[in-house]
Amino acid sequence: AQKVTQAQTEISVVEKEDVTLDCVYETRDTTYYLFWYKQPPSGELVFLIRRNSFDEQNEISGRYSWNFQKSTSSFNFTITASQVVDSAVYFCALLTYNQGGKLIFGQGTELSVKP
Amino acid sequence: DVKVTQSSRYLVKRTGEKVFLECVQDMDHENMFWYRQDPGLGLRLIYFSYDVKMKEKGDIPEGYSVSREKKERFSLILESASTNQTSMYLCASSVFSDNEQFFGPGTRLTVL
């Protein structure tokens, strides 16, 4: 079965704190893709990153970084020096070919960054 | 920039009405998707389409149908709306099936 689990339903931090959003996935496929999306209060999901299963290199983009570890089936997302504008719901998602190319989303983590 | 637009941001309908939700993308993407989003459940796929006039059921197709007569337009139809279809509906498109999906702003549908 394919599944994505985001165990943290809500996280609240104070501005400038670092915060890590956890994502654990399940799949038996060897080829798959992992994604993170941000959904601000406006409602539109914004694509953040796509990672394929053969590339375990960590990635950094400004204050955002991602840690992909196949050994623990995790794809965690860290925001460094958080800002109020980072407040949003963040979704992790999995795509495998055995699912016909369908995205499987986690339940989402609502991040609240307070000034 | 990819633009995915949805016909309405908010919609209120009555039980039993036929409801059309329209989605248009302007980047010539092959693939289009309809999701519904409910608190605590994340996004769940209703239907998707890999080509014009082609459709595939997602995880929760019951009570819905779709139409894709043109490449850029993907419509979601609720034949007879029910209160349990009150939800946020999100449309998305992608160039290939393993690429990132781009989402529209969503339609918040309330069925009374």
Side-chain angles (χ1 to χ4, degrees), chain A residues 37 39 42 50 95 97 100, chain B residues 9 37 45 50 97-98 101:
Chain A
Y37 283 87
Q39 187 178 39
S42 61
R50 168 182 178 263
L95 187 152
Y97 286 110
Chain B
R9 290 300 303 269
Q37 181 180 6
L45 183 64
Y50 288 144
S97 59
D98 59 358
Q101 294 178 17

Side-chain angles (χ1 to χ4, degrees), chain B residues 47-59:
Chain B
Y47 268 97
F48 60 105
S49 169
Y50 288 144
D51 202 352
V52 175
K53 295 192 186 294
M54 179 271 182
K55 60 186 178 185
E56 293 283 345
K57 292 180 180 179
D59 300 316

Side-chain angles (χ1 to χ4, degrees), chain B residues 78-96:
Chain B
L78 287 66
E79 294 290 342
S80 178
S82 63
T83 54
N84 62 13
Q85 292 178 309
T86 291
S87 186
M88 169 72 91
Y89 290 88
L90 293 160
C91 176
S93 71
S94 67
V95 58
F96 298 117

Side-chain angles (χ1 to χ4, degrees), chain A residues 15-31:
Chain A
E15 210 170 17
K16 297 184 183 174
E17 281 187 43
D18 298 348
V19 57
T20 296
L21 282 61
D22 297 332
C23 173
V24 174
Y25 62 93
E26 294 176 31
T27 180
R28 291 182 180 171
D29 289 355
T30 55
T31 302

Side-chain angles (χ1 to χ4, degrees), chain A residues 14-19 63 79-84 86 113:
Chain A
V14 177
E15 210 170 17
K16 297 184 183 174
E17 281 187 43
D18 298 348
V19 57
R63 295 184 298 106
I79 302 175
T80 303
S82 60
Q83 300 176 1
V84 173
D86 295 327
V113 182

Side-chain angles (χ1 to χ4, degrees), chain A residues 33 35 37 39 41-47 50 89 91 95 97 99-108, chain B residues 4 9 33 35 37 40-43 45 48 50 57-59 88 90 97-105:
Chain A
Y33 298 86
F35 301 80
Y37 283 87
Q39 187 178 39
S42 61
E44 187 167 335
L45 269 78
V46 177
F47 165 74
R50 168 182 178 263
V89 180
F91 289 96
L95 187 152
Y97 286 110
Q99 287 288 331
K102 297 185 291 185
L103 269 178
I104 299 158
F105 284 86
Q107 301 92 326
Chain B
V4 179
R9 290 300 303 269
F33 308 82
Y35 296 87
Q37 181 180 6
L41 297 177
L43 277 75
L45 183 64
F48 60 105
Y50 288 144
K57 292 180 180 179
D59 300 316
M88 169 72 91
L90 293 160
S97 59
D98 59 358
N99 277 61
E100 61 271 23
Q101 294 178 17
F102 295 90
F103 284 80

